[in-house]
């Protein structure tokens, strides 16, 4: 049994420090106070009740509406040596009784149940036999009618708590709570003057961007090519669009799956599972793909179309990067997205007030797409946060990497061609005229005599149709509805034709040349993880997160103590998998004569510089402060600080927030953005005296500037 929460975090979870808010929430539960935790998705809510479950007597009952996640969560807990089980409608009654019997004998630290169970008297009878110390309510907003997923059975939770032998501590968690929902959580769950902690909605590791004026399919293909092997989700507005993009991606050889309400249940769960197991890399989906995605290593969420409001967008985009590693949330915007959403609103039989509200929400969403200010700030302020920094440094507007290129002449050519064919033909014909196609139709119509015939020969048919579609989306051209849509000049055509207005198109700067880092070892470790995952019938991330494998492939641990130093390797996983992973790493390092990381090295005297910063890191992971480490190692504080920075640069996990005084962070960020991160002298000089070099370097490292 661990003695305190930090020990539990190290020993079981293999993590070195808490994420923001976790420590307070855990302490509150341990002190027997009812507790409400509001943390964004991926913030690490589960750990806040799992650690108390380890430290307190009796069992922790977790009530969660996400039945499809229970198995993975319970598998993950058992993997790290915390005996747990779940009880939901997927079990037959005999199995359920057996599990409860084991629970009443104290065999489990955590028991997950679906809220619907609380409506069965028989079940409640059995619960009364147990010593429940904590009742953890996940997705607690489901208790409120004002929340987005109201579940009536959540209303039974309060009476359950009262009917147990002793009233357990109630801990409620959610990622989305407006003031009203928060009040409902407190009153409807019957919380007794609870401690309420909110870490806000921000998710540092997510990069937000809006991309306009591109061909969306081309963008997706380029993106997938320049982000090899990374798993992600692409959301599209309609089933038809999902089918289309899915077919294109499969044709191009990508491992893609698709998910929408038009597919059978069996098909959907098969695809979802394949995605979890890393057998599919990209999921093309409508918003039906949602609840129950626990895959932690989703590296990007691309929206092919603008969703109907910011709530939906943030929820969908938020499925990226739950493991805390950097991930991209990219929205591909075109003006026609607004028409789609307006159409959907008009289709719904809504009251006039609701309709007006929906239009308002849509406008907010559109404003997000058009703003040139910080996108993160926009979202956070939308959710009511105050004091949000004006420049986050990690969104498309704070670090705009696109260039504008002037395409006025090409647009003029297209517009005049549309005019020359009498605004009477569709996209393909116009493209063919511009390309100078020798098709019979064109010569029959005499269009090969037009002045615009063949004036854009340098383009492929595909590029031309894309460009024309873009002009439609941006309202330079209009298009009629119906079976044979015809191009017309749009509202914005005349000023361009008369040379009064230019057309600029954002082109992304050349994607940075593909990452040349050697990923061989990472791929080997991934392969081993995949084998183990199939053998044990759990998704790969239940065994190790990607970030853990990445750290292994960077640091090459080849014995047990150095393996234990890897974030995400706790004692149980070390015992279970350590030797197999060590074997792969040893073979690799030997074959390539790469210096591996060993415990001996890590503990070597300070003269061995490589080892020195790692031994500092070991002590840091044990929870020692930098001052304590300096004293113990007889080093100056500056040296120890240097070690921490070095470890941070090498990708070791450092809790920067506990090292950087928060009022300084903004100041430093602003100064670095203005003066650059190459030379620290000018930055230091521009800042108040009390800010030292270490804090500046820590901020640079934290934000990867
Ligand atoms: P939430 O329920 O808030 O969406 P989870 O509890 O699923 O988030 O946690 C998200 C991820 O973060 C998980 O992979 C978890 O293992 C990881 N995690 C949680 N706390 C920490 C921590 N202190 N250090 C490192 N990783 C953590
Ligand atoms: Zn920003």
């Amino acid at each position: 049994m661990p003695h305190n929460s930090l020990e539990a975090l190290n020993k079981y979870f293999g993590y070195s420090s808490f994420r923001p808010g976790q420590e307070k929430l855990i302490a509150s539960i341990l002190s027997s106070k009812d507790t409400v935790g509001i943390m964004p998705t991926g913030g690490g809510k589960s750990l806040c009740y799992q650690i108390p479950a380890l430290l307190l007597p009796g069992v922790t009952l977790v009530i969660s509406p996400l039945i499809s996640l229970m198995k993975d969560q319970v598998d993950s807990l058992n993997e790290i040596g915390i005996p747990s089980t779940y009880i939901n409608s997927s079990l037959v009654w005999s199995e359920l009784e057996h599990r409860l019997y084991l629970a009443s004998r104290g065999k489990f630290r955590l028991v997950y149940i679906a809220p619907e169970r609380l409506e069965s008297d028989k079940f409640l009878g059995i619960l009364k036999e147990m010593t429940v110390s904590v009742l953890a309510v996940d997705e607690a907003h489901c208790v409120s009618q004002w929340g987005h997923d109201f579940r009536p059975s959540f209303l039974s939770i309060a009476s359950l708590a009262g009917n147990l032998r002793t009233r357990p501590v109630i801990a409620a968690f959610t990622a989305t709570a407006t003031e009203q929902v928060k009040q409902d959580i407190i009153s409807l769950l019957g919380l007794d003057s609870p401690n309420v902690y909110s870490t806000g909605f921000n998710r540092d590791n997510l990069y937000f961007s809006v991309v306009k004026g591109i061909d969306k399919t081309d963008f997706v293909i380029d993106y997938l090519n320049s982000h090899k092997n990374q798993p992600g989700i692409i959301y599209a507005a309609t089933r038809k669009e999902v089918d289309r993009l899915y077919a294109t991606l499969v044709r191009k050889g990508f491992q893609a799956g698709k998910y929408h309400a038009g597919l059978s249940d069996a098909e959907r769960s098969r695809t979802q599972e394949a995605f979890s197991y890393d057998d599919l890399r990209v999921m093309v989906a409508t918003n039906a793909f949602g609840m129950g995605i626990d895959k932690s290593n989703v590296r990007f969420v691309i929206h092919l179309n603008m969703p109907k409001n910011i709530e939906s967008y943030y929820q969908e985009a938020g499925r990226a990067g739950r493991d805390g590693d950097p991930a991209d949330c990219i929205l591909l915007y075109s003006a026609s997205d607004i028409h789609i959403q307006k159409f959907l609103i008009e289709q719904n039989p809504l009251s006039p007030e609701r309709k007006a509200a929906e239009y308002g929400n849509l406008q907010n969403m559109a404003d997000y797409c058009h703003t040139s200010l910080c996108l993160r700030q926009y979202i956070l302020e939308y959710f009511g946060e105050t004091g949000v920094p004006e420049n986050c440094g990690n969104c498309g507007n704070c670090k705009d990497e696109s260039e504008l290129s002037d395409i006025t002449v090409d647009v003029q050519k297209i517009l005049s061609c549309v005019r020359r064919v009498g605004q009477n033909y569709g996209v393909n014909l116009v493209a063919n005229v511009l390309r100078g196609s020798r098709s019979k139709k064109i010569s029959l119509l005499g269009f090969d005599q037009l002045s615009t015939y063949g004036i854009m020969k340098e383009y492929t048919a595909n590029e031309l149709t894309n460009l024309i579609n873009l002009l439609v989306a941006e309202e330079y051209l209009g298009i009629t509805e119906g079976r044979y849509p015809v191009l017309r000049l749009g509202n914005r055509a005349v000023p361009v034709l008369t040379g009064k207005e230019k057309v600029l198109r954002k082109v992304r700067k050349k994607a940075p040349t593909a990452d040349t880092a050697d990923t061989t070892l990472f791929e080997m470790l991934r392969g081993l993880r995949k084998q183990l995952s199939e053998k044990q019938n759990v998704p790969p991330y239940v065994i190790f997160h990607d970030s853990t494998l990445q750290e292994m492939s960077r640091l090459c641990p080849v014995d047990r103590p150095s393996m234990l130093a890897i974030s995400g390797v706790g004692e149980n996983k070390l015992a279970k998998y350590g030797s197999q992973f060590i074997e792969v790493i040893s073979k690799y390092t030997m074959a390539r004569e790469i210096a591996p990381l060993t415990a001996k090295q890590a503990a070597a005297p300070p003269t061995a510089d490589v080892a020195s910063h790692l031994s500092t890191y070991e002590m840091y992971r044990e929870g020692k402060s930098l001052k304590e480490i300096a004293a113990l190692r007889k080093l100056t504080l500056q040296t120890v600080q240097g070690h921490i920075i070095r470890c941070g640069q090498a990708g070791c996990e450092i809790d920067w927030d506990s090292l950087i005084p928060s009022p300084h962070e903004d100041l430093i960020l602003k100064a670095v953005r203005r003066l650059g991160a190459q030379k620290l002298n000018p930055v230091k000089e521009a800042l108040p005296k009390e800010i030292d070099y270490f804090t500046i370097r820590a901020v640079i490292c934290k934000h990867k500037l």
Side-chain angles (χ1 to χ4, degrees):
M1 263 293 182
H3 297 96
N4 59 42
S5 46
L6 188 62
E7 196 184 321
L9 183 74
N10 292 162
K11 188 171 142 115
Y12 287 85
F13 295 87
Y15 297 139
S16 55
S17 53
F18 285 107
R19 294 235 181 106
Q22 286 181 328
E23 226 166 348
K24 273 194 205 151
L25 283 157
I26 293 172
S28 167
I29 298 172
L30 289 177
S31 71
S32 301
K33 281 284 281 181
D34 283 353
T35 304
V36 180
I38 304 169
M39 267 184 171
T41 313
K45 289 184 279 298
S46 357
L47 217 136
C48 300
Y49 55 81
Q50 290 166 348
I51 285 187
L54 268 173
L55 298 170
L56 293 170
V59 69
T60 291
L61 207 57
V62 185
I63 301 180
S64 166
L66 304 178
I67 293 178
S68 56
L69 295 189
M70 280 186 192
K71 185 175 177 304
D72 281 359
Q73 272 162 351
V74 165
D75 283 344
S76 298
L77 285 167
N78 287 318
E79 278 290 309
I80 58 173
I82 305 179
S84 312
T85 195
Y86 65 88
I87 288 168
N88 62 32
S89 51
S90 69
L91 304 175
V92 293
W93 180 253
S94 58
E95 171 66 17
L96 189 153
E97 263 186 332
H98 179 62
R99 291 188 181 191
L100 280 172
Y101 167 75
L102 293 177
S104 65
R105 300 282 307 272
K107 296 285 183 217
F108 302 117
R109 310 288 335 135
L110 293 107
V111 176
Y112 283 70
I113 63 170
E116 286 71 23
R117 288 283 120 200
L118 302 178
E119 284 153 15
S120 142
D121 288 338
K122 191 164 172 192
F123 183 78
L124 290 175
I126 304 178
L127 283 187
K128 279 183 203 158
E129 302 300 310
M130 295 164 41
T131 314
V132 178
S133 44
V134 179
L135 203 60
V137 185
D138 207 1
E139 313 289 338
H141 60 271
C142 293
V143 76
S144 169
Q145 303 217 38
W146 302 101
H148 44 80
D149 310 297
F150 174 56
R151 293 284 194 110
S153 44
F154 264 63
L155 296 168
S156 324
I157 295 175
S159 68
L160 165 73
N163 283 327
L164 291 172
R165 237 191 282 165
T166 49
R167 184 195 182 275
V169 175
I170 305 182
F173 297 90
T174 176
T176 49
T178 56
E179 192 52 38
Q180 177 143 35
V181 171
K182 194 168 86 188
Q183 288 314 322
D184 274 0
I185 290 176
I186 295 173
S187 63
L188 298 175
L189 291 179
L191 304 188
D192 178 13
S193 45
N195 287 328
V196 181
Y197 298 112
S198 169
T199 57
F201 291 90
N202 186 23
R203 295 185 53 199
D204 273 334
N205 61 319
L206 300 185
Y207 168 81
F208 289 95
S209 90
V210 177
V211 181
K212 287 173 255 189
I214 37 114
D215 176 74
K216 295 182 177 187
T217 310
D218 287 352
F219 177 93
V220 167
I221 291 168
D222 283 351
Y223 186 92
L224 294 181
N225 280 327
S226 58
H227 293 78
K228 288 240 168 358
N229 290 329
Q230 296 193 349
I233 304 172
I234 302 171
Y235 279 112
T238 62
R239 293 179 197 180
K240 207 168 128 200
E241 191 68 4
V242 168
D243 289 337
R244 185 196 61 76
L245 183 65
Y246 165 77
T248 308
L249 294 184
V250 169
R251 196 156 18 99
K252 298 256 174 201
F254 294 105
Q255 289 175 313
K258 66 172 172 177
Y259 192 107
H260 59 60
L263 303 169
S264 70
D265 282 355
E267 246 171 312
R268 277 186 289 171
S269 58
R270 193 164 40 79
T271 327
Q272 176 158 358
E273 181 157 314
F275 185 59
S276 290
Y277 276 73
D278 288 347
D279 289 331
L280 289 177
R281 186 188 151 205
V282 193
M283 184 72 106
V284 187
T286 59
N287 59 8
F289 185 59
M291 275 285 220
I293 308 171
D294 197 27
K295 190 176 166 65
S296 62
N297 62 336
V298 173
R299 292 273 70 83
F300 61 85
V301 172
I302 296 178
H303 277 76
L304 216 53
N305 307 101
M306 182 185 75
K308 64 178 178 187
N309 56 38
I310 301 273
E311 279 90 349
S312 314
Y313 180 64
Y314 202 53
Q315 195 178 36
E316 287 160 18
R319 299 197 171 114
R322 292 187 62 151
D323 52 12
D325 282 358
D328 288 345
C329 305
I330 304 176
L331 198 165
L332 307 183
Y333 172 84
S334 62
S336 56
D337 292 342
I338 302 228
H339 302 312
I340 299 179
Q341 294 300 345
K342 284 189 175 162
F343 174 75
L344 292 174
I345 295 176
E346 285 306 327
Q347 289 250 302
N348 257 333
L350 298 172
S351 66
E353 302 87 67
R354 269 302 289 276
K355 213 172 240 184
E358 300 265 319
Y359 274 113
N361 291 338
L362 180 61
Q363 188 56 49
N364 284 325
M365 187 69 237
D367 290 348
Y368 173 82
C369 298
H370 292 300
T371 181
S372 59
L373 303 175
C374 174
L375 295 172
R376 187 181 310 276
Q377 181 193 26
Y378 185 93
I379 294 175
L380 296 179
E381 288 185 345
Y382 177 85
F383 287 116
E385 287 192 14
T386 52
V388 182
E390 271 171 25
N391 184 316
C392 74
N394 192 24
C395 79
N397 290 344
C398 291
K399 50 180 193 192
D400 193 349
E401 277 165 359
S402 56
E403 285 168 347
L404 287 176
S405 101
D406 186 340
I407 55 164
T408 313
V409 175
D410 282 343
V411 176
Q412 285 169 336
K413 288 178 183 170
I414 295 172
L415 297 180
S416 37
C417 188
V418 169
R419 194 157 63 179
R420 301 262 177 230
V421 299
Q423 307 195 49
N424 231 341
Y425 293 90
V427 178
N428 287 333
L429 182 118
V430 171
N432 281 333
V433 171
L434 287 162
R435 255 177 6 104
S437 149
R438 292 179 196 279
S439 87
K440 220 171 168 181
K441 185 171 177 191
I442 289 180
S443 53
L444 277 177
L445 290 165
F447 289 162
D448 51 355
Q449 304 302 316
L450 296 177
S451 58
T452 51
Y453 178 78
I455 51 170
M456 293 182 83
K457 278 203 173 78
E458 66 280 21
Y459 285 84
T460 65
N462 202 20
E463 283 167 342
L464 271 178
T465 42
N466 286 339
L467 189 52
I468 295 173
N469 284 327
L470 168 72
L471 298 182
V472 172
E474 304 285 316
E475 296 179 353
Y476 292 101
L477 287 170
I479 193 156
T480 58
E481 282 166 12
R483 200 139 161 230
Y484 300 105
V486 163
L487 289 173
R488 300 271 161 83
L489 292 185
N491 305 335
R492 301 171 67 184
V494 175
V496 178
L497 280 170
T498 52
K500 285 205 180 102
E501 223 174 72
K502 280 188 179 171
V503 185
L504 299 177
R505 179 179 183 183
K506 262 194 183 176
V507 281
R508 296 202 124 206
K509 271 190 204 154
K510 277 269 160 273
T513 37
D515 200 4
T516 49
D518 186 0
T519 57
T520 319
L521 179 55
F522 177 68
E523 290 306 329
M524 288 162 73
L525 298 175
R526 240 164 66 107
L528 171 60
R529 178 179 68 174
K530 182 82 182 131
Q531 277 172 22
L532 294 169
S533 106
E534 275 161 13
K535 209 153 85 194
Q536 309 201 31
N537 207 11
V538 294
Y541 60 79
V542 167
I543 295 183
F544 283 128
H545 288 313
D546 282 7
S547 50
T548 302
L549 297 190
Q550 242 135 24
E551 201 172 313
M552 283 184 200
S553 58
R554 210 164 42 229
L555 297 176
C556 300
V558 291
D559 57 18
R560 302 175 83 78
S562 56
M563 184 55 100
L564 201 55
I566 302 290
S567 176
V569 184
E571 286 180 3
N572 220 57
K573 288 198 175 166
L574 176 74
K576 214 161 159 186
Y577 305 119
S579 56
Q580 297 175 71
F581 281 85
I582 286 174
E583 194 185 320
V584 171
I585 297 170
S586 307
K587 275 195 189 139
Y588 175 86
T589 51
M590 268 180 332
R592 308 214 166 187
E593 299 181 357
I594 292 171
L597 174 66
T598 63
K600 224 161 91 202
Q601 247 181 352
T607 42
D609 191 36
V610 185
S612 187
H613 75 282
L614 291 174
S615 15
T616 291
Y617 187 58
E618 280 291 327
M619 296 171 104
Y620 170 78
R621 281 176 57 97
E622 285 160 20
K624 298 202 171 56
S625 73
L626 305 196
K627 274 194 187 138
E628 285 169 57
I629 300 173
L632 284 166
R633 298 201 58 200
K634 301 197 170 52
L635 298 171
T636 63
L637 179 61
Q638 280 77 8
T639 305
V640 170
Q641 289 175 335
H643 288 166
I644 291 294
I645 296 288
R646 211 166 140 193
C647 291
Q649 286 165 341
C652 300
E653 209 166 312
I654 309 273
D655 180 13
W656 294 115
D657 293 341
S658 69
L659 298 171
I660 305 168
S662 58
H664 292 171
E665 188 167 355
D666 275 355
L667 291 174
I668 297 173
L669 275 176
K670 286 209 178 99
V672 171
R673 292 223 172 82
R674 196 154 46 86
L675 301 162
Q678 265 71 40
K679 292 212 174 92
L680 296 190
N681 265 350
V683 177
K684 170 92 174 82
E685 256 157 47
L687 290 165
K689 277 215 169 46
E690 69 269 24
I691 301 184
D692 59 17
Y693 277 109
F694 172 64
T695 315
I696 299 174
R697 292 171 71 196
V699 170
I700 292 175
C701 204
K702 175 181 167 190
H703 294 271
K704 305 192 173 69
L705 297 172

